[in-house]
Amino acid sequence: MTDAREPDTDDARASVDTPKVMTVKRVGIASVARFVGVTYGVVGLLVGLGMAVGAVTFGGDDDPATGFGSAAVYLFALPFGYAAVGLVSGAALAAVYNWIGQRFGGIELEIE
């Protein structure tokens, strides 16, 4: 006769199906700034690409080089400009979130 017991399947299932509620009280400022900066940089690249196509297609009535020059500026300046704005605003928003989360509580996440 063995003394081994089988686990109760109802208890095992209840622990798996029960969602956990966790609270995000602080976020890493550098991590959020980096994520938002890269995201804005990608958006800036897409916007710059659209503006570059428009500049090449419709710009430079007298000199076609004007349209290509504008396109080059859009393709290089906009992604870096958007990324810089995203980096600064992401850091600022993360700092504000940490300040508010410390005083009033953070965002609750339900995780299964």
Side-chain angles (χ1 to χ4, degrees):
M1 178 173 210
T2 61
D3 197 19
R5 295 178 21 198
E6 291 184 20
D8 189 5
T9 57
D10 291 335
D11 289 340
R13 192 177 315 117
S15 66
V16 171
D17 293 339
T18 304
K20 292 181 181 181
V21 176
M22 301 178 84
T23 303
V24 179
K25 293 189 177 197
R26 291 188 55 83
V27 294
I29 293 176
S31 175
V32 172
R34 183 175 50 247
F35 178 80
V36 175
V38 169
T39 302
Y40 276 39
V42 170
V43 170
L45 182 64
L46 295 174
V47 169
L49 187 63
M51 291 181 74
V53 167
V56 169
T57 305
F58 302 112
D61 291 335
D62 296 335
D63 185 14
T66 305
F68 286 106
S70 297
V73 170
Y74 293 144
L75 284 177
F76 291 110
L78 284 181
F80 288 113
Y82 273 51
V85 168
L87 193 74
V88 171
S89 64
L93 288 174
V96 169
Y97 178 85
N98 288 341
W99 182 78
I100 290 173
Q102 188 177 32
R103 283 157 183 73
F104 303 106
I107 295 175
E108 289 185 357
L109 300 175
E110 187 174 305
I111 301 172
E112 290 188 31

